[in-house]
Amino acid sequence: MVAEATAKRVTRRRVRTRANLLDAAFAVFAAKGFGRVSIEEVCEAAGYSRGAFYSNFGSLDELFFALYRDRAELIADQVAGAFALDGPDLDVPAAVDRVTDVLLLDLDWLLVKTDFLVHAARDPAVAQTLLDHRARLRGAIADRLTRARGHTQLPAVLGDIDGAARAVIAAYDGVTTQLLLDKDAERARSWLKQLLTALLTDGSDTPA
């Protein structure tokens, strides 16, 4: 019993240490860029030793992947949750409003994400990690649109459900690229609403 309680305390402490390292790394990556950050800087920002780092991550790359995975899964969950509230009869404008209201449009995250994209473009193994996470996000969108089929007609120009899901992600990518440059989050959110509504309807519900 004592050993079990001790193991639980160790597990909780390790989970907390891992979370603190990820939070510290996020702040340092956003401020300096992934390629300019050392393990020592992450440890210093988190208040831990290198030993604590290596007990949770094998390398800075591994930490970076974990950070990206956590944020990518958060976004996929946000999209899936917002689309799930309508039942089978998908109200596209209302669903788009919900998605864009909750969707993570954070400049620091976009800086880190862009670093990851550049890193992935030069390393096929890293690129596959990124492709896997993008596929999960696309799958969450496609799943919701599939369940709405028969109740909601998507524009024929998008082709199939997967094409519609890809178009949604492309719109998000384009808007967030602009956000990185002009730093106007409210404008980005408004423009994303217009784009997604136009993409997923015949255009008659697009805001003026």
Side-chain angles (χ1 to χ4, degrees), residues 46-122:
Y48 293 119
S49 66
R50 286 175 64 93
F53 179 94
Y54 283 115
S55 70
N56 287 276
F57 303 103
S59 65
L60 207 55
D61 273 3
E62 185 179 322
L63 181 149
F64 198 37
F65 298 157
L67 181 62
Y68 184 87
R69 182 176 60 249
D70 286 353
R71 297 288 170 138
E73 288 179 355
L74 170 62
I75 291 173
D77 288 344
Q78 288 174 332
V79 170
F83 272 139
L85 295 177
D86 279 325
D89 189 12
L90 180 64
D91 181 342
V92 170
V96 165
D97 280 347
R98 288 196 303 274
V99 167
T100 52
D101 282 344
V102 303
L103 197 59
L104 186 67
L105 287 176
D106 176 77
L107 279 169
D108 285 345
W109 160 239
L110 294 176
L111 288 168
V112 174
K113 175 188 170 187
T114 301
D115 272 349
F116 193 90
L117 285 167
V118 172
H119 189 47
R122 295 187 173 95

Side-chain angles (χ1 to χ4, degrees), residues 11 57 69 106 110 120-121 145 154 157 161:
T11 299
F57 303 103
R69 182 176 60 249
D106 176 77
L110 294 176
L145 295 177
L154 294 173
V157 70
I161 293 294

